[in-house]
PDB file of all heavy atoms in Angstrom:
ATOM      1  N   ILE A 165     -16.060  -8.329   1.425  1.00 85.00           N
ATOM      2  CA  ILE A 165     -15.569  -9.575   1.944  1.00 85.00           C
ATOM      3  C   ILE A 165     -16.703 -10.296   2.628  1.00 85.00           C
ATOM      4  O   ILE A 165     -17.353  -9.744   3.535  1.00 85.00           O
ATOM      5  CB  ILE A 165     -14.413  -9.330   2.959  1.00 85.00           C
ATOM      6  CG1 ILE A 165     -13.280  -8.572   2.297  1.00 85.00           C
ATOM      7  CG2 ILE A 165     -13.914 -10.666   3.570  1.00 85.00           C
ATOM      8  CD1 ILE A 165     -12.252  -7.998   3.252  1.00 85.00           C
ATOM      9  N   PRO A 166     -16.972 -11.550   2.243  1.00 87.00           N
ATOM     10  CA  PRO A 166     -18.056 -12.279   2.881  1.00 87.00           C
ATOM     11  C   PRO A 166     -17.787 -12.419   4.376  1.00 87.00           C
ATOM     12  O   PRO A 166     -16.631 -12.612   4.807  1.00 87.00           O
ATOM     13  CB  PRO A 166     -18.015 -13.657   2.206  1.00 87.00           C
ATOM     14  CG  PRO A 166     -17.301 -13.407   0.905  1.00 87.00           C
ATOM     15  CD  PRO A 166     -16.345 -12.298   1.136  1.00 87.00           C
ATOM     16  N   ALA A 167     -18.816 -12.364   5.191  1.00 88.00           N
ATOM     17  CA  ALA A 167     -18.687 -12.428   6.648  1.00 88.00           C
ATOM     18  C   ALA A 167     -17.910 -13.685   7.085  1.00 88.00           C
ATOM     19  O   ALA A 167     -17.097 -13.615   8.023  1.00 88.00           O
ATOM     20  CB  ALA A 167     -20.070 -12.421   7.304  1.00 88.00           C
ATOM     21  N   LYS A 168     -18.090 -14.810   6.407  1.00 90.00           N
ATOM     22  CA  LYS A 168     -17.436 -16.045   6.797  1.00 90.00           C
ATOM     23  C   LYS A 168     -15.923 -15.993   6.614  1.00 90.00           C
ATOM     24  O   LYS A 168     -15.190 -16.767   7.203  1.00 90.00           O
ATOM     25  CB  LYS A 168     -17.998 -17.218   6.010  1.00 90.00           C
ATOM     26  CG  LYS A 168     -17.704 -17.219   4.517  1.00 90.00           C
ATOM     27  CD  LYS A 168     -18.305 -18.417   3.818  1.00 90.00           C
ATOM     28  CE  LYS A 168     -18.069 -18.412   2.355  1.00 90.00           C
ATOM     29  NZ  LYS A 168     -16.705 -18.464   1.953  1.00 90.00           N
ATOM     30  N   ASP A 169     -15.437 -15.046   5.847  1.00 88.00           N
ATOM     31  CA  ASP A 169     -13.990 -14.913   5.565  1.00 88.00           C
ATOM     32  C   ASP A 169     -13.283 -13.808   6.314  1.00 88.00           C
ATOM     33  O   ASP A 169     -12.078 -13.640   6.233  1.00 88.00           O
ATOM     34  CB  ASP A 169     -13.744 -14.696   4.041  1.00 88.00           C
ATOM     35  CG  ASP A 169     -14.149 -15.881   3.223  1.00 88.00           C
ATOM     36  OD1 ASP A 169     -13.945 -17.016   3.695  1.00 88.00           O
ATOM     37  OD2 ASP A 169     -14.608 -15.693   2.090  1.00 88.00           O
ATOM     38  N   LEU A 170     -14.029 -13.045   7.136  1.00 87.00           N
ATOM     39  CA  LEU A 170     -13.447 -11.915   7.809  1.00 87.00           C
ATOM     40  C   LEU A 170     -12.305 -12.283   8.748  1.00 87.00           C
ATOM     41  O   LEU A 170     -11.319 -11.568   8.865  1.00 87.00           O
ATOM     42  CB  LEU A 170     -14.522 -11.137   8.589  1.00 87.00           C
ATOM     43  CG  LEU A 170     -15.476 -10.319   7.700  1.00 87.00           C
ATOM     44  CD1 LEU A 170     -16.589  -9.683   8.526  1.00 87.00           C
ATOM     45  CD2 LEU A 170     -14.722  -9.252   6.934  1.00 87.00           C
ATOM     46  N   ARG A 171     -12.405 -13.431   9.439  1.00 87.00           N
ATOM     47  CA  ARG A 171     -11.354 -13.843  10.341  1.00 87.00           C
ATOM     48  C   ARG A 171     -10.055 -14.168   9.575  1.00 87.00           C
ATOM     49  O   ARG A 171      -8.977 -13.864  10.035  1.00 87.00           O
ATOM     50  CB  ARG A 171     -11.760 -15.087  11.132  1.00 87.00           C
ATOM     51  CG  ARG A 171     -12.457 -14.717  12.375  1.00 87.00           C
ATOM     52  CD  ARG A 171     -12.385 -15.844  13.374  1.00 87.00           C
ATOM     53  NE  ARG A 171     -13.037 -15.326  14.535  1.00 87.00           N
ATOM     54  CZ  ARG A 171     -13.875 -15.997  15.258  1.00 87.00           C
ATOM     55  NH1 ARG A 171     -14.103 -17.235  14.973  1.00 87.00           N
ATOM     56  NH2 ARG A 171     -14.465 -15.448  16.291  1.00 87.00           N
ATOM     57  N   ARG A 172     -10.208 -14.815   8.435  1.00 87.00           N
ATOM     58  CA  ARG A 172      -9.050 -15.245   7.623  1.00 87.00           C
ATOM     59  C   ARG A 172      -8.208 -14.079   7.168  1.00 87.00           C
ATOM     60  O   ARG A 172      -6.973 -14.196   7.111  1.00 87.00           O
ATOM     61  CB  ARG A 172      -9.495 -16.045   6.406  1.00 87.00           C
ATOM     62  CG  ARG A 172      -9.855 -17.477   6.743  1.00 87.00           C
ATOM     63  CD  ARG A 172     -10.164 -18.312   5.505  1.00 87.00           C
ATOM     64  NE  ARG A 172      -9.238 -18.098   4.415  1.00 87.00           N
ATOM     65  CZ  ARG A 172      -9.618 -18.135   3.119  1.00 87.00           C
ATOM     66  NH1 ARG A 172     -10.854 -18.401   2.810  1.00 87.00           N
ATOM     67  NH2 ARG A 172      -8.747 -17.916   2.172  1.00 87.00           N
ATOM     68  N   ILE A 173      -8.821 -12.962   6.833  1.00 82.00           N
ATOM     69  CA  ILE A 173      -8.050 -11.857   6.274  1.00 82.00           C
ATOM     70  C   ILE A 173      -7.108 -11.211   7.302  1.00 82.00           C
ATOM     71  O   ILE A 173      -6.187 -10.497   6.925  1.00 82.00           O
ATOM     72  CB  ILE A 173      -8.935 -10.741   5.640  1.00 82.00           C
ATOM     73  CG1 ILE A 173      -9.793 -10.065   6.685  1.00 82.00           C
ATOM     74  CG2 ILE A 173      -9.729 -11.293   4.512  1.00 82.00           C
ATOM     75  CD1 ILE A 173     -10.465  -8.798   6.208  1.00 82.00           C
ATOM     76  N   MET A 174      -7.283 -11.532   8.553  1.00 79.00           N
ATOM     77  CA  MET A 174      -6.394 -10.988   9.575  1.00 79.00           C
ATOM     78  C   MET A 174      -5.153 -11.845   9.767  1.00 79.00           C
ATOM     79  O   MET A 174      -4.234 -11.493  10.518  1.00 79.00           O
ATOM     80  CB  MET A 174      -7.118 -10.828  10.932  1.00 79.00           C
ATOM     81  CG  MET A 174      -8.292  -9.863  10.808  1.00 79.00           C
ATOM     82  SD  MET A 174      -7.895  -8.243  10.111  1.00 79.00           S
ATOM     83  CE  MET A 174      -6.888  -7.554  11.395  1.00 79.00           C
ATOM     84  N   LEU A 175      -5.092 -12.971   9.101  1.00 82.00           N
ATOM     85  CA  LEU A 175      -3.938 -13.867   9.185  1.00 82.00           C
ATOM     86  C   LEU A 175      -2.856 -13.457   8.142  1.00 82.00           C
ATOM     87  O   LEU A 175      -3.236 -13.008   7.069  1.00 82.00           O
ATOM     88  CB  LEU A 175      -4.368 -15.331   8.960  1.00 82.00           C
ATOM     89  CG  LEU A 175      -5.358 -15.873   9.939  1.00 82.00           C
ATOM     90  CD1 LEU A 175      -5.854 -17.253   9.499  1.00 82.00           C
ATOM     91  CD2 LEU A 175      -4.790 -15.979  11.338  1.00 82.00           C
ATOM     92  N   PRO A 176      -1.590 -13.614   8.482  1.00 73.00           N
ATOM     93  CA  PRO A 176      -0.558 -13.256   7.515  1.00 73.00           C
ATOM     94  C   PRO A 176      -0.697 -14.007   6.205  1.00 73.00           C
ATOM     95  O   PRO A 176      -0.936 -15.219   6.196  1.00 73.00           O
ATOM     96  CB  PRO A 176       0.753 -13.646   8.196  1.00 73.00           C
ATOM     97  CG  PRO A 176       0.400 -13.733   9.662  1.00 73.00           C
ATOM     98  CD  PRO A 176      -1.039 -14.125   9.706  1.00 73.00           C
ATOM     99  N   PHE A 177      -0.582 -13.276   5.101  1.00 69.00           N
ATOM    100  CA  PHE A 177      -0.530 -13.829   3.740  1.00 69.00           C
ATOM    101  C   PHE A 177      -1.797 -14.534   3.307  1.00 69.00           C
ATOM    102  O   PHE A 177      -1.797 -15.324   2.381  1.00 69.00           O
ATOM    103  CB  PHE A 177       0.692 -14.749   3.553  1.00 69.00           C
ATOM    104  CG  PHE A 177       1.974 -14.098   3.940  1.00 69.00           C
ATOM    105  CD1 PHE A 177       2.629 -14.460   5.111  1.00 69.00           C
ATOM    106  CD2 PHE A 177       2.501 -13.122   3.183  1.00 69.00           C
ATOM    107  CE1 PHE A 177       3.796 -13.815   5.491  1.00 69.00           C
ATOM    108  CE2 PHE A 177       3.689 -12.466   3.535  1.00 69.00           C
ATOM    109  CZ  PHE A 177       4.334 -12.820   4.711  1.00 69.00           C
ATOM    110  N   GLU A 178      -2.918 -14.269   3.981  1.00 77.00           N
ATOM    111  CA  GLU A 178      -4.198 -14.852   3.589  1.00 77.00           C
ATOM    112  C   GLU A 178      -4.888 -13.952   2.554  1.00 77.00           C
ATOM    113  O   GLU A 178      -4.788 -12.737   2.618  1.00 77.00           O
ATOM    114  CB  GLU A 178      -5.118 -15.015   4.793  1.00 77.00           C
ATOM    115  CG  GLU A 178      -4.866 -16.238   5.602  1.00 77.00           C
ATOM    116  CD  GLU A 178      -5.212 -17.522   4.924  1.00 77.00           C
ATOM    117  OE1 GLU A 178      -6.197 -17.595   4.196  1.00 77.00           O
ATOM    118  OE2 GLU A 178      -4.446 -18.491   5.079  1.00 77.00           O
ATOM    119  N   GLN A 179      -5.569 -14.577   1.662  1.00 75.00           N
ATOM    120  CA  GLN A 179      -6.375 -13.876   0.685  1.00 75.00           C
ATOM    121  C   GLN A 179      -7.713 -14.566   0.583  1.00 75.00           C
ATOM    122  O   GLN A 179      -7.798 -15.778   0.772  1.00 75.00           O
ATOM    123  CB  GLN A 179      -5.718 -13.817  -0.685  1.00 75.00           C
ATOM    124  CG  GLN A 179      -4.471 -12.980  -0.745  1.00 75.00           C
ATOM    125  CD  GLN A 179      -3.942 -12.896  -2.161  1.00 75.00           C
ATOM    126  OE1 GLN A 179      -4.207 -13.725  -3.010  1.00 75.00           O
ATOM    127  NE2 GLN A 179      -3.131 -11.878  -2.395  1.00 75.00           N
ATOM    128  N   VAL A 180      -8.752 -13.806   0.280  1.00 74.00           N
ATOM    129  CA  VAL A 180     -10.081 -14.407   0.073  1.00 74.00           C
ATOM    130  C   VAL A 180     -10.613 -13.970  -1.249  1.00 74.00           C
ATOM    131  O   VAL A 180     -10.133 -12.998  -1.836  1.00 74.00           O
ATOM    132  CB  VAL A 180     -11.029 -14.064   1.227  1.00 74.00           C
ATOM    133  CG1 VAL A 180     -10.580 -14.662   2.513  1.00 74.00           C
ATOM    134  CG2 VAL A 180     -11.248 -12.572   1.350  1.00 74.00           C
TER     135      VAL A 180
END
Side-chain angles (χ1 to χ4, degrees):
I165 301 167
K168 67 180 178 61
D169 293 325
L170 287 174
R171 272 203 178 137
R172 282 187 41 215
I173 65 167
M174 299 309 290
L175 299 172
F177 307 107
E178 279 292 322
Q179 291 184 339
V180 294

